[in-house]
Amino acid sequence: MKKDLHPKNYRKVAFKDMSNEETFITRSTINTKETIDIDGVTYPLIKLEISNTSHPFYTGKAKLVDTAGRVDKFMSRYGNRKKAL
């Protein structure tokens, strides 16, 4: 087996879903500058926009996330297209 094949900084890291404030701890080599205290232990923190606890596929709840008005923009352009034909 090759020496030094695996990364040296493999450690426990906290991932936080910012849409529902859910936090889970797993092992990772990702670098971060932020930390979080969970049960008296300090972990490096990675912030996520969406995870399995908030994704509509896993939760079974369809949730439309439209921050830039893309759906309205699409409907104004192409929404009445079928009526015009």
Side-chain angles (χ1 to χ4, degrees), residues 7-58:
K8 300 281 186 213
N9 64 341
Y10 197 64
R11 70 214 186 281
K12 289 186 177 181
V13 176
F15 288 85
K16 185 173 185 179
D17 186 341
M18 300 309 290
S19 63
N20 64 359
E21 302 295 320
E22 184 76 24
T23 304
F24 60 93
I25 299 170
T26 187
R27 297 177 64 86
S28 178
T29 60
I30 194 164
N31 293 326
T32 182
K33 295 179 181 178
E34 297 181 66
T35 60
I36 189 171
D37 288 330
I38 300 174
D39 298 329
V41 180
T42 303
Y43 297 101
L45 175 65
I46 304 298
K47 294 180 178 178
L48 305 172
E49 289 184 27
I50 196 163
S51 71
N52 65 327
T53 60
S54 63
H55 194 280
F57 179 80
Y58 296 105

